[in-house]
Amino acid sequence: MKTLEKSVELGVEDRVMDQTLAKRLDYAIETHRAASDETAAKLRSLEEQFGITSDLFYDKLHQGKLGDEEPFFSWDALVEIHRRIGQRLAVLLAESSA
């Protein structure tokens, strides 16, 4: 990927390279969307189980207002993972529209 990226930066015009990069970007977007959907479903399940949104849970946990039960640590990690996936997806989507 880095070699292809450098070639593009140097102005190498190649229809096959452009198609390859576009397909790779599309694949990365699809993969991240699927991962986002999967983590969102897991978060919804936890929200239903505990009767609180993930955002409110996250804030309360980091303010020390919740206990240190195992499900909370897993939930916290899942919130972080979901946020990172969202950030990467936003970058990919911005790149695809550039």
Side-chain angles (χ1 to χ4, degrees), residues 16-68:
V16 173
M17 188 183 315
D18 290 344
Q19 289 175 342
T20 301
L21 290 172
K23 285 182 181 182
R24 178 63 180 112
L25 184 57
D26 289 344
Y27 175 78
I29 289 170
E30 288 176 32
T31 302
H32 280 75
R33 280 188 175 144
S36 179
D37 291 347
E38 183 180 330
T39 57
K42 290 177 181 177
L43 289 172
R44 279 192 302 277
S45 176
L46 288 164
E47 290 170 348
E48 290 173 10
Q49 180 181 349
F50 291 97
I52 185 174
T53 66
S54 290
D55 288 336
L56 186 55
F57 155 79
Y58 186 87
D59 291 343
K60 285 187 174 199
L61 182 71
H62 289 269
Q63 293 169 1
K65 295 181 179 178
L66 297 176
D68 58 355

Side-chain angles (χ1 to χ4, degrees), residues 51-90:
I52 185 174
T53 66
S54 290
D55 288 336
L56 186 55
F57 155 79
Y58 186 87
D59 291 343
K60 285 187 174 199
L61 182 71
H62 289 269
Q63 293 169 1
K65 295 181 179 178
L66 297 176
D68 58 355
E69 299 172 37
E70 168 50 35
F72 294 159
F73 291 111
S74 297
W75 192 357
D76 182 51
L78 194 57
V79 169
E80 289 288 342
I81 290 167
H82 188 70
R83 287 180 179 177
R84 278 184 292 219
I85 291 169
Q87 290 169 343
R88 289 192 304 260
L89 182 56

